[in-house]
Amino acid sequence: MVIHVASEGQSESAAGVPNSRARSRRAFSHHSLSRNAAAAIMVATVVVALVCVISFAAASYAALDARASNDIAQEAQRYASHIEAESLDGDELVDFLEDQAQLVGSDKRITLISSDGTVIFDNDVSDVSVLENHAARPEFIEAEQTGESSAGRYSETLQEVTLYHSIRLQNGDVLRFATTQSSVWGVVLSMLGPCAIVVVLALIAAAVASRFLANVISGDLMRVNLDKPLESDAPEELEPLLARLDAQRKRLDAQASERRQYTANVSHELKTPLTVISGYAEIIAAGIAKPEDIKSFARTIHDESQRMKGMVDDIISLSKLDDMGTVAVEGGAVGVQAGSDLGVDMAQDVSLESVANDVCVRLRPYASDLGVDLSVAISRHDNEPVQVRGNARIVGELVRNLAENAIRYNVEGGAATIEVEGCADGSACVRVSDTGIGIPKELRERVFERFFRVDESRSKETGGSGLGLAIVKHAAQVHGAAITVRDNKPQGTIIEVAFPAR
């Protein structure tokens, strides 16, 4: 055990853990929060700028399209109204359109189509006879049917859209006005230059702003005092994280304090028997002891060495259970996985009845020496064997320690009972009762602490190490079991360990 304690101390100094920590630090992949934040802000800014530019181009195109459609519709209606008012027809109508063609500009096209689809006039074509019949054109068909129509056609080759507005005249001819404008993609392409300038400016602004914001964010984090997280001047968004850091720090401090206390207790508990053994051995070796006392001294040395051996065994058991509990917490699992990681089979079907009977057989001579009646009581449900899932050796240690305590802290002529009960839902419990000195209510939580004793003098007399119930607590934890302590009327204590269903 001395070696074990030394190895624990070395694990924090020269045993190689600093080297492993250094290796962990080297293996850990570090990254810059400020650089990541700056990059994210820059990307977001550029994306927003592009979306805004594209959205603006689309909105501009929609507005231009609506305006152009409205303009040619109004112009077509104005011309149609004038033609109807002047009753223009035939050559007069063509002459009128030829005159007006000089005024409307090159961006508008005026076409006159007869009722059979033949083109009579087109200001973009000098010889209309070369034009195909327009009877199949959608804008012509709709105008013939409803009197007026609007349409648009997209040219992939020219990346342009031609807007048409047609009106049927009283003589059956169709007057069609058309104008051509760039498509939405044409508008976007025409804005590539301004877009590029906007994106570059956005990048520059984002680089400056992101660096500033990243420094603000990282500065808030750097001001966090890890020793006193909740007292740090930090943003309120970090409060949950700081609360967890504070809880973890307190937990680590408590564990460190407990470890120091544990080491001190181990040293103290081992020092007493070692002092006795060393003293008596020295007396015998020096030849000072009387011949008739040597046998008594040897018995004392044997008893103290057995006591120390039992304590070392308990410490080793507790250390193993501690390791299983640590693996369970870090791995996010419960007993079965924790045990398998340490080479302990936690998937055994353990008969609580057999464990209780074996413990009773082993401890009955010890109970008889102290004048305590030790017995076992089994309560099955539907005559089903009482079994739990776990490790038989650990469950045996749990029951043995409970029974030893029930015997050790009993009174002469008292009784200790190991009860095993199976429940309807498949769960089970072990209940150990005694008629001994009892445990005050205010101490029932502390009895599971290492080296804690309710009656210090009684423990020294009976040889208790103060680790029995600590072993019980950890053995129950790795099995997912719950422990309760209550009075045994009229005198004594009942400790119950409830195991979950398999």
Side-chain angles (χ1 to χ4, degrees), residues 14 20 34 58 88 99 128 134 136 145 167 211 223 237 281 293 296 346 369 375 381 387 411 443 479 485 493:
S20 65
S34 60
L88 299 178
D99 292 338
V128 296
H134 284 26
Q145 293 175 350
I167 297 177
R211 196 64 188 171
R223 285 196 298 272
E237 289 81 5
D293 293 333
S296 172
M346 295 294 295
D369 290 344
S375 61
H381 178 76
Q387 292 184 327
V411 294
L443 298 180
H479 285 85
V485 181
T493 303

Side-chain angles (χ1 to χ4, degrees), residues 281-398:
E282 185 178 358
I283 292 173
I284 295 174
I288 302 175
K290 297 177 181 179
E292 62 270 20
D293 293 333
I294 292 178
K295 186 176 181 180
S296 172
F297 289 174
R299 185 181 302 108
T300 300
I301 291 174
H302 177 267
D303 291 343
E304 291 297 327
S305 64
Q306 288 300 110
R307 176 188 169 195
M308 188 167 64
K309 179 180 179 297
M311 189 180 302
V312 170
D313 289 341
D314 285 346
I315 291 172
I316 291 173
S317 297
L318 193 56
S319 178
K320 290 180 179 178
L321 291 172
D322 274 341
D323 290 340
M324 293 175 65
T326 300
V327 174
V329 172
E330 293 178 353
V334 288
V336 173
Q337 180 177 341
S340 62
D341 290 342
L342 295 171
V344 180
D345 184 5
M346 295 294 295
Q348 299 174 356
D349 289 327
V350 183
S351 170
L352 288 182
E353 302 175 28
S354 298
V355 170
N357 286 321
D358 290 344
V359 169
C360 185
V361 170
R362 290 168 55 194
L363 294 182
R364 187 161 280 155
Y366 173 58
S368 297
D369 290 344
L370 297 179
V372 176
D373 179 30
L374 179 63
S375 61
V376 175
I378 307 296
S379 176
R380 293 181 171 181
H381 178 76
D382 289 341
N383 205 32
E384 289 289 329
V386 185
Q387 292 184 327
V388 296
R389 181 64 59 86
N391 182 270
R393 180 184 61 79
I394 297 176
V395 173
E397 287 189 37
L398 181 151

Side-chain angles (χ1 to χ4, degrees), residues 72-84 93-94 96-98 100 109-115 120-123 139-140 143-144 147-149 164-178:
I72 63 169
Q74 290 181 352
E75 197 153 8
Q77 290 168 357
R78 184 167 60 84
Y79 272 74
S81 298
H82 179 77
I83 291 170
E84 298 297 347
L93 178 54
V94 172
F96 170 74
L97 293 177
E98 287 179 347
Q100 293 299 314
R109 183 177 180 181
I110 304 174
T111 307
L112 183 63
I113 308 168
S114 67
S115 58
I120 302 174
F121 171 80
D122 192 305
N123 66 331
E139 66 274 12
F140 175 81
E144 283 288 319
E148 192 170 356
S149 72
Y164 298 97
H165 194 86
S166 305
I167 297 177
R168 189 186 65 223
L169 303 176
Q170 289 182 354
N171 62 1
D173 295 341
V174 172
L175 178 65
R176 186 186 71 179
F177 271 68

Side-chain angles (χ1 to χ4, degrees), residues 224-232 234-253 255 329-330:
V224 174
N225 183 354
L226 295 180
D227 293 329
K228 298 179 180 179
L230 297 182
E231 298 179 14
S232 300
E236 61 181 16
E237 289 81 5
L238 294 179
E239 286 184 5
L241 174 62
L242 297 182
R244 292 179 61 184
L245 287 175
D246 185 67
Q248 185 180 38
R249 183 187 61 80
K250 289 180 179 177
R251 185 165 57 250
L252 291 175
D253 289 346
Q255 289 175 351
V329 172
E330 293 178 353

